[in-house]
Amino acid sequence: MDAEERRRGVLELARRTGSVDVGKLAADFGVAKETIRRDLSIMEAHGLVRRTHGGAYPVESAGYETTLAFRTTRHVPEKQRIAAAAGDLVGDAETIFVDEGFTPQLIAQALPRARPLTVVTASLATATSLANHDPITVLLLGGRVRGGTLATVGHWTTHMLSGFVIDLAFIGANGISREHGLTTPDPVVSEVKAQAVRVSRRRVFAGVHTKFGAGSFCRFAEVSDFETIITDTALPLPEAHRYSLMGPQVIRV
């Protein structure tokens, strides 16, 4: 097996399992750990993986995106803390956009229940979870349903969203970086997110530390478009400060 074939094998394994370990890869492929570390460095330079201490995890891209089911198994305690902190930011907002994805779904569950709210979402899972909760009114955006994320996309989705003025939007992304802003792999998803950013008075990005520094195919917003970023404490404090210099308040929980 040559180096290119080995790296393809490493990437396939990383995408299938969610992360890879240097020691196990070295044993599986019959090469030195230093060879695997060199492979991962090259793959990171090509935007395919992100290095961690002792391993790496895959970066979502135009050719690879995790499903909603997979996201419900990763970094769950961190996502729960992020969602709770997001719920505290609602303030006097009456109309709220909740993005697709597992973290936004948790945010929906953390919204205040003591007063009327109108929640706009493209997520079938979020709409279903809120539908029976008075006094919350749910507006589900129409459109084509993506099987992997159970969210609507397309012209109908963005057209319906364009007719609203939303007080507060909770937005997710597959990657966020100071160089490229907020990104996602699929152009039709990017269009929905960009429209949500355009029609919202306040915008909050909520995502775990693994999103930071990653870049995907389609950019839909700049870091400076957001008033607040909520993430977990695994994002180093100096890096959080660099993002705060671009405009948003950065909350680590």
Side-chain angles (χ1 to χ4, degrees):
M1 179 181 293
D2 63 22
E4 186 174 340
E5 290 175 320
R6 185 176 61 248
R7 290 167 196 153
R8 281 201 299 267
V10 170
L11 181 60
E12 180 182 345
L13 183 62
R15 288 177 170 178
R16 187 170 68 248
T17 62
S19 63
V20 289
D21 175 79
V22 168
K24 190 171 187 311
L25 288 173
D28 289 346
F29 287 94
V31 296
K33 290 182 180 180
E34 187 54 42
T35 299
I36 295 296
R37 292 190 186 99
R38 187 162 53 248
D39 286 342
L40 293 177
S41 294
I42 292 170
M43 293 165 66
E44 183 174 49
H46 292 168
L48 298 172
V49 301
R50 291 290 305 281
R51 295 291 304 277
T52 63
H53 181 70
Y57 58 86
V59 172
E60 295 185 274
S61 64
Y64 164 71
E65 184 179 6
T66 57
T67 64
L68 180 61
F70 181 83
R71 295 172 197 176
T72 63
T73 68
R74 310 293 292 180
H75 304 291
V76 175
E78 292 90 339
K79 292 175 180 179
Q80 290 171 331
R81 295 198 303 270
I82 290 168
D88 292 337
L89 295 180
V90 171
D92 60 359
E94 296 179 350
T95 55
I96 297 173
F97 174 81
V98 178
D99 204 356
E100 65 168 68
F102 182 54
T103 301
Q105 189 177 331
L106 293 175
I107 292 172
Q109 294 300 313
L111 294 176
R113 303 297 171 88
R115 61 182 177 84
L117 292 173
T118 296
V119 175
V120 180
T121 186
S123 167
L124 275 66
T126 291
T128 301
S129 70
L130 293 178
N132 292 324
H133 290 286
D134 291 331
I136 294 178
T137 299
V138 180
L139 293 179
L140 177 62
L141 300 170
R144 176 175 64 85
V145 178
R146 298 176 80 228
T149 59
L150 295 180
T152 55
V153 293
H155 169 73
W156 290 335
T157 314
T158 54
H159 180 71
M160 186 175 178
L161 191 51
S162 69
F164 299 136
V165 178
I166 293 171
D167 294 330
L168 173 63
F170 291 108
I171 306 286
N174 299 74
I176 176 172
S177 70
R178 289 178 283 114
E179 297 80 11
H180 303 299
L182 283 76
T183 56
T184 194
D186 195 321
V188 292
V189 175
S190 178
E191 290 170 2
V192 176
K193 291 177 182 289
Q195 187 66 265
V197 169
R198 283 193 290 269
V199 302
S200 301
R201 294 188 175 102
R202 299 169 54 205
R203 308 167 198 101
V204 174
F205 169 74
V208 294
H209 67 280
T210 57
K211 306 282 188 180
F212 288 78
S216 196
F217 181 50
C218 301
R219 176 166 54 193
F220 65 86
E222 302 294 340
V223 173
S224 57
D225 291 329
F226 291 78
E227 72 167 34
T228 306
I229 290 173
I230 310 174
T231 188
D232 58 273
T233 53
L235 181 72
L237 190 57
E239 186 66 3
H241 178 65
R242 294 183 188 101
Y243 279 90
S244 71
L245 293 177
M246 301 181 74
Q249 175 191 16
V250 180
I251 300 173
R252 297 159 69 247
V253 294

